[in-house]
Amino acid sequence: MVNIHTVAVIGSGTMGAGIADVAASYGHQVLLYDIASDAISRAIDCIRLRLASRVTRGKLSADASAQILARLIPVTDIQALAAADLVIEAASERLEVKKALFKQLAEICPPQTLLTSNTSSISVTAIAADLPHPERVAGLHFFNPAPVMKLVEVVSGLATSSEAADVLCELAMNWGKQPVRCQSTPGFIVNRVARPFYSEAWRALEEQVAAPETIDAALREGGGFPMGPLELTDMIGQDVNFAVTCSVFNAFWQERRFLPSLVQQELVLAGRLGKKSGKGVYDWQSDRPDVSWLQTVSDSFSPMSAERKSDGVTELDEVLLVETQGETAQSLAVKHSRPVVVVDRIERDVAVIAAAASNPHSATQKAVFYLQQQGKRVVQIADYPGLLVWRTVAMIANEALDALQKGVASEKDIDTAMRLGVNYPNGPIAWGERLGWQRVLALLENLQRHYGEERYRPCSLLRQRALLESSYES
């Protein structure tokens, strides 16, 4: 299994063509299989255009481009795949299709041939269940676009041998990729841990906390994510993103923290699939709403006293400015019998705030003025527990710890996967540790108390880390 010379790629869509490009670029003969010869021709034409662009930009010589193209062999007869040392399936995301295909491959290919699937969420264990030599079946999940994205999830089913996983990790590194190992559980690493990034944004939209562009701007500019979650679902395709969410939700026996969004379902039913259909959350056919920061401008104030009373709490004369811990501003105003403004976790030059409904306008504006004096851009949203950035990061970190505790992958691989697979500014476990596990725990417990839902239940490993953190501090 160590010497992989010929690679077969099944499926000539976007992912299949991208994987074939990668394999051919690193010297392998590539058998590009599809039942439709015109689909293969289109895929090779796309690869040719991509290589020509690299040649034009001086990233590749014309001779090297010609050699890569010469290694791509169109195949419409599945029997020809018997010559492959490695097969990478990138076909339909339906278990019954994959099982039928792998049954054929098991009959055609010799026992030493590695059989892998580029699936993003289907169980590798299920694919291999009825096959002879299931130890050679694994997941090899590339990210789109495959020639550009560095991450590859190497997924082991129950029967996958450690030797097979080792070979695939070594191959991925030889192809200039960063492999991460994980077990075959719903969503693997990235599509599991990333679910709260989308689901918390949909919930904010459902509860009419803010406009879509404000939600996106808060997560992008306030949280440092490369793109807002709602805009990203438009780019991915609402149908694709919704299908993955439903798949993970059902695979976890309707675990509430993976609950799909009714708003997103309505978009899919309406055919508003995002950029590819011209309309989704945003209108891509015309000038879609500017996803930029919507700044709140304060009144002018004479100098005020500002005293930091405790961690995360600043007293501005009669007003309390409180960093959110998952409680609403109104509940805190009642508790303290004074005006309260809650602020999202500030790590950059922006601040999302929410004010108690009982606040005088001047009290809220005093907090806005203070934050602007600190060089922050400020936007006010509805009084929403946990606001936008803090609760999203806390949920992602909690999901990452749950995956770690259940043996899905190592801590290092989880953080690497989320940085490289979806370009998060920090690995979620490292992020949670830096923000403080006790704070993450307190926020989730307050959210769970507010909503009365299991969705915000902290995992047991989070509780353990919060206890360890408190013992270190004491």
Side-chain angles (χ1 to χ4, degrees):
M1 290 193 295
V2 176
N3 297 314
I4 296 174
H5 301 291
T6 301
V7 176
V9 177
I10 298 177
S12 55
T14 301
M15 285 305 301
I19 295 167
D21 184 348
V22 172
S25 295
Y26 282 88
H28 298 274
Q29 178 176 279
V30 178
L31 308 177
L32 184 54
Y33 170 80
D34 202 295
I35 56 174
S37 59
D38 57 338
I40 302 175
S41 298
R42 286 194 299 270
I44 292 176
D45 285 343
C46 287
I47 295 170
R48 183 179 289 107
L49 286 173
R50 192 156 51 230
L51 294 174
S53 174
R54 293 177 62 196
V55 171
T56 301
R57 290 181 286 118
K59 301 291 186 181
L60 187 72
S61 70
D63 183 56
S65 174
Q67 290 180 34
I68 292 169
L69 289 169
R71 295 187 195 110
L72 296 171
I73 302 171
V75 173
T76 54
D77 181 1
I78 197 168
Q79 297 293 327
L81 304 190
D85 304 301
L86 166 67
V87 179
I88 305 172
E89 172 271 321
S92 172
E93 277 289 274
R94 292 162 54 199
L95 177 59
E96 64 273 17
V97 172
K98 294 187 188 296
K99 285 181 73 72
L101 187 53
F102 274 74
K103 182 179 179 182
Q104 281 185 284
L105 292 171
E107 294 170 352
I108 293 165
C109 299
Q112 67 270 22
T113 302
L114 283 172
L115 306 180
T116 68
S117 175
N118 183 57
T119 180
S120 60
S121 59
I122 292 175
S123 168
V124 172
T125 297
I127 293 171
D130 302 319
L131 301 180
H133 306 293
E135 70 279 356
R136 58 162 168 176
V137 180
L140 196 62
H141 180 213
F142 290 78
F143 287 75
N144 192 27
V148 176
M149 297 296 284
K150 291 289 186 185
L151 186 72
V152 174
E153 289 179 321
V154 176
V155 186
S156 293
L158 278 179
T160 306
S161 70
S162 58
E163 292 82 5
D166 288 344
V167 170
L168 293 171
C169 286
E170 183 179 349
L171 180 69
M173 287 189 286
N174 290 340
W175 287 359
K177 305 298 183 184
Q178 175 60 61
V180 292
R181 294 172 183 257
C182 59
Q183 298 302 310
S184 181
T185 57
F188 310 141
I189 302 173
V190 173
N191 277 318
R192 173 183 179 166
V193 178
R195 302 278 39 98
F197 181 64
Y198 308 112
S199 63
E200 290 306 305
W202 288 118
R203 179 154 213 170
L205 196 63
E206 288 170 354
E207 295 189 17
Q208 303 183 68
V209 170
E213 54 268 30
T214 303
I215 296 169
D216 277 340
L219 271 295
R220 189 184 64 249
E221 299 192 34
F225 294 95
M227 189 178 291
L230 300 174
E231 185 179 19
L232 182 55
T233 57
D234 264 359
M235 296 292 289
I236 294 168
Q238 296 299 341
D239 53 340
V240 174
N241 185 262
F242 183 67
V244 173
T245 299
C246 290
S247 172
V248 173
F249 176 64
N250 288 319
F252 275 101
W253 309 113
Q254 289 78 49
E255 174 71 48
R256 299 295 292 181
R257 69 182 189 273
F258 300 116
L259 184 69
S261 163
L262 289 174
V263 171
Q264 189 177 29
Q265 179 178 252
E266 285 292 287
L267 290 175
V268 174
L269 292 174
R272 293 179 54 168
L273 307 182
K275 189 173 183 180
K276 64 185 176 183
S277 70
K279 186 175 288 189
V281 175
Y282 299 105
D283 186 352
W284 295 82
Q285 294 172 317
S286 57
D287 292 332
R288 84 186 155 79
D290 180 25
V291 191
S292 59
W293 195 258
L294 307 176
Q295 188 161 350
T296 298
V297 179
S298 71
D299 300 327
S300 296
F301 284 90
S302 56
M304 69 185 84
S305 64
E307 180 184 356
R308 193 160 182 88
K309 301 293 288 184
S310 61
D311 187 30
V313 179
T314 300
E315 190 174 60
L316 309 172
D317 296 333
E318 80 284 6
V319 183
L320 285 183
L321 181 63
V322 182
E323 184 180 288
T324 183
Q325 292 188 18
E327 298 172 278
T328 63
Q330 187 58 48
S331 67
L332 292 170
V334 170
K335 182 188 297 184
H336 297 288
S337 300
R338 58 195 300 181
V340 171
V341 172
V342 176
V343 63
D344 213 338
R345 181 77 189 184
I346 300 175
E347 293 197 312
R348 288 169 169 77
D349 66 344
V350 296
V352 180
I353 65 166
S358 58
N359 281 8
H361 175 72
S362 60
T364 301
Q365 287 296 93
K366 187 173 288 189
V368 172
F369 180 73
Y370 171 77
L371 288 167
Q372 290 178 337
Q373 292 297 102
Q374 306 304 307
K376 307 297 182 183
R377 291 178 290 159
V378 183
V379 68
Q380 184 174 348
I381 65 171
D383 191 8
Y384 187 55
L387 299 176
L388 295 172
V389 177
W390 222 148
R391 70 188 276 166
T392 299
V393 173
M395 286 289 282
I396 292 169
N398 187 51
E399 192 59 46
L401 284 183
D402 190 63
L404 173 63
Q405 184 170 29
K406 291 173 179 171
V408 174
S410 69
E411 183 170 329
K412 178 182 177 182
D413 279 355
I414 290 170
D415 276 356
T416 298
M418 301 313 293
R419 284 189 298 101
L420 298 184
V422 279
N423 296 315
Y424 284 1
N426 302 283
I429 299 177
W431 206 349
E433 186 170 348
R434 180 161 57 81
L435 294 174
W437 293 121
Q438 292 179 73
R439 290 183 175 187
V440 174
L441 177 61
L443 185 134
L444 291 179
E445 286 181 330
N446 283 328
L447 288 177
Q448 188 178 19
R449 190 175 301 113
H450 176 87
Y451 287 103
E453 293 182 26
E454 282 292 291
R455 175 185 180 120
Y456 298 102
R457 174 176 51 82
C459 75
S460 61
L461 183 56
L462 171 57
R463 295 185 184 280
Q464 292 173 36
R465 293 205 171 189
L467 281 171
L468 281 173
E469 189 178 73
S470 64
S471 66
Y472 291 148
E473 289 176 356
S474 61

